[in-house]
Amino acid sequence: MTAEQTVKTPARLGEVVQSSTAQFVASCHRLYEAPALGTLVKCGNGTIVYGVVADVRTQSIDPGRKPIAMGGNDESEEAVYRRNPQISRLLTTEFTAVSAGYKAGGRVRRYLPPLPPRIHSFVLQCSMEELAEFTASMDFLPAMLSAPVGHPDDMVASFLRLASEAHPDPDAFLVTAGKELSRQLNGQWQRLNGILKRLSS
Amino acid sequence: MTTNGNAAFDALGRKRLGIVVAGSLTDGVDVRLDDDTSVEDIKVGTLVAIEGERRRFFGQITDVLLGTTDLGMQSTPPDVSNSFIARVIAGTTAYGAIKVEPTLSIGGDSRSLANDGPLPAKTVPAHFSSVSPASDADIELVFGKEDERHFWIGSPLDMETKLCLNVEELAKRSNGVFGKSGTGKTFLTRLLLIGILQRSKAVNLVFDMHSEYGWQGTSEKSSSVKGLKQLFGSKVAVFTLDVDSSRRRSLLPDYVVRIGYDEVEPEDITLLREVMDLSSIAADAAYNLQRHFGKGKWLKSFLAHGGRDSIKELADAIDVNANSLGALHNRLSRFERFGFMDDQAGHDSVNEIIRYLDRGMHVVLEFGRYGNDLAAYILVANLLTRRIYKRYMERKEAAAGDKAKEPRPLVISIEEAHKFLTKELAGQTIFGTIARELRKYNVTLLVVDQRPSGIDDEVMSQLGTKIVCLLDSEKDVTAVLAGVSGSSKLRAVLSRLESRQQALAFGHALPMPVVVQTREYGTPEFYKSIGHRDGAEAQEKSAKDVEDLFGPGS
């Protein structure tokens, strides 16, 4: 499933398993079915917390039991899973989303939510309309650029590229976003240049 | 504030250039250009209006800068072949900026707009005030409309609006037109003369070195343009020193000027020192000669001395160095080749000029072939001016404050002024006196020159309005701008003038310095706009006048 398709058909992606004000971790319902890097997701009832996918990982459920290579005699990757059906049960896919804003009382705010989402909140993919609404202003950029995650620049670039599809003139949206980035990253030319290159290619 | 490249407009719907971000009254304000304003569209010298919180400011662009918010960008430039990156950084990380010198301000309330008009700016516009190019209405507000006092001399840079000069103010003080040769000084001077003729009470006396103001001048484009006499026949008299030259150009001069030897004074010789290559001792010997032979007779008697022995004898008699006196004799014998010099005493040229001036006529004195001889020009200009000035002084004093009896204000135009307003001579010549004493005696100068650095500082500083075409030499630029506030910024403007038909005008007759694209002189539209009618039209007009006066069919 491509990123574009998932955005067009909002679907439940998983549940929150770890939560803090700045970010939350969700466990996917199905192995390998995580949203793409930079996808806008939401969770919570009443106050909706928006997050942007910053990191996706698949690992063993039990931290003490590391997966090992098993397909020495198999022809293909599928054959490995077919011959060892327990693998799917022992692995889990998780993703980390950076809290980018929240919606309360019908109003979208593009900064940290007052409270993090609860554990087991369902995490849903945002629709194109929600994505357009959320990116109507670039106020979310400062929090995202300073998010305590591994690769904030890649996250921002992926998010902006996905978001541009939700606007009637994607190119103009990216230029506006680029100009806002250049204001935010004043004095960090190399970093700005890196993001702009990702946005343009 | 624009962020996404959309054109921004100020409160009056003018396209905005940018916003004020920093600055000071002494250094001018820094304006950061909007994303969609390209530095390449900005021209130094352009007039801009700044919409402050409570006041509107007017100023001139004095510098254009390229800025980056990030120094790292200068060492590792972006990939500008990537159009997306180029669009993003234009106006944000890499931006254009301009320096604006706010010179005038006007209060936003209706009283200031109606009564005071723009006043010199005593403060700067607030942060983030919007800056836009001055509109036609702004230009009219600042420089005035074309009316009985304002004369249209051209238009501001890149604009069609009429830029007017307050000629009444202009004629009150001595003024200067400067610029290297071929930049349009003569055309500009012609315009100013027409302005003074049409819009002020003053009369012109032009010492026309190359016979180009009175009758038929030449332009670089078309072959010939009309002179003052052709345009304002009833108001202009052409006097000549060289009647042959006038006739050759099918001009019937109003008066042929003759100068008697008795009219030359030792002071005139002092002035000719440089052009005649005389030592100061030789020039000063003229005073001894005057003492010896008597006033009025000295020159003729001195020139009558021929031969070395006779000169040596004379030198002993008047106690000067014989070699110096020989040199003086040698140089002064050139006067005998001047056709306008006359043995007869009692010439009336000065009275004739004054008679014309008193009738409100403007006098152009053509030098004909003597225009190429600087000595003749300086001699005649100085001699006539000295005597006219003396006459004005007497009459002004006799009038004793009675305005009705005062002589008409007189504007004397001189060319190659650096030859007789030099630092050494300005103190001694009549032109230096006129320039310094201003309008005390109703006489002012219009100095036309290509080498202002040669003119005495004191004289330069007394010039009310200066109109400066392109100048190359650093020294000349410094001399022209000496004592002008914000001169370092005007220097940038001045050095980037185009070589033709552009001038920087500043001083008394203008509320603020401005770059003028001077009016096209010599086109049929121009002649029409100053009220000149050619043959057929003039006949039609007079027929209509007759009809208006006496009724149809008369």
Side-chain angles (χ1 to χ4, degrees), chain B residues 13-42:
Chain B
R14 291 176 296 205
K15 164 83 186 66
R16 200 177 81 172
L17 291 176
I19 52 167
V20 173
V21 289
S24 74
L25 186 58
T26 44
D27 290 339
V29 295
D30 299 337
V31 176
R32 183 163 168 163
L33 296 179
D34 284 340
D35 305 2
D36 57 325
T37 312
S38 164
V39 279
E40 294 178 11
D41 295 335
I42 300 287

Side-chain angles (χ1 to χ4, degrees), chain A residues 135-141 156 160 164 167 169-184 192 196 199, chain B residues 1-6 35 83-93:
Chain A
T135 52
S137 153
M138 296 289 162
D139 293 349
F140 54 82
L141 277 175
V156 168
L160 290 174
S164 69
H167 288 267
D169 185 351
D171 202 38
F173 171 81
L174 286 180
V175 171
T176 309
K179 284 186 185 289
E180 185 56 36
L181 277 172
S182 65
R183 285 186 195 96
Q184 297 296 336
L192 172 66
L196 293 182
L199 285 179
Chain B
M1 205 186 308
T2 175
T3 52
N4 48 10
N6 292 332
D35 305 2
S83 73
F84 172 72
I85 295 186
R87 274 162 69 202
V88 168
I89 59 174
T92 52
T93 317

Side-chain angles (χ1 to χ4, degrees), chain A residues 189-190, chain B residues 68 70-78:
Chain A
W189 164 240
Q190 295 301 352
Chain B
T68 52
D70 198 327
L71 291 178
M73 206 168 177
Q74 293 170 17
S75 44
T76 46

Side-chain angles (χ1 to χ4, degrees), chain B residues 174 207 267-268 271 378-391 393 412 414 420-421 425-438 441 443-445 459:
Chain B
S174 291
F207 290 110
E267 190 212 288
D268 299 321
L271 205 58
I378 294 178
L379 176 74
V380 173
N382 191 54
L383 193 144
L384 292 178
T385 306
R386 190 177 60 234
R387 299 182 54 190
I388 291 169
Y389 181 71
K390 204 171 144 207
R391 202 67 68 77
M393 213 161 95
I412 301 180
I414 46 167
F420 35 108
L421 286 171
L425 295 176
Q428 303 165 37
T429 72
I430 185 63
F431 294 107
T433 315
I434 296 176
R436 277 194 308 272
E437 289 185 0
L438 276 174
Y441 298 108
V443 183
T444 55
L445 291 182
V459 172

Side-chain angles (χ1 to χ4, degrees), chain A residues 29-87:
Chain A
H29 290 309
R30 279 184 288 280
L31 190 64
Y32 297 129
E33 288 191 10
L37 181 70
T39 307
L40 184 69
V41 297
K42 60 177 181 178
C43 59
N45 297 318
T47 299
I48 295 170
V49 176
Y50 292 105
V52 176
V53 176
D55 187 35
V56 179
R57 62 199 164 272
T58 300
Q59 60 197 8
S60 169
I61 291 171
D62 183 350
R65 295 174 67 182
K66 266 176 72 181
I68 51 164
M70 301 172 91
N73 298 320
D74 290 313
E75 299 261 312
S76 67
E77 189 186 317
E78 283 76 26
V80 179
Y81 281 89
R82 223 173 20 247
R83 211 167 44 76
N84 304 287
Q86 78 284 3
I87 295 179

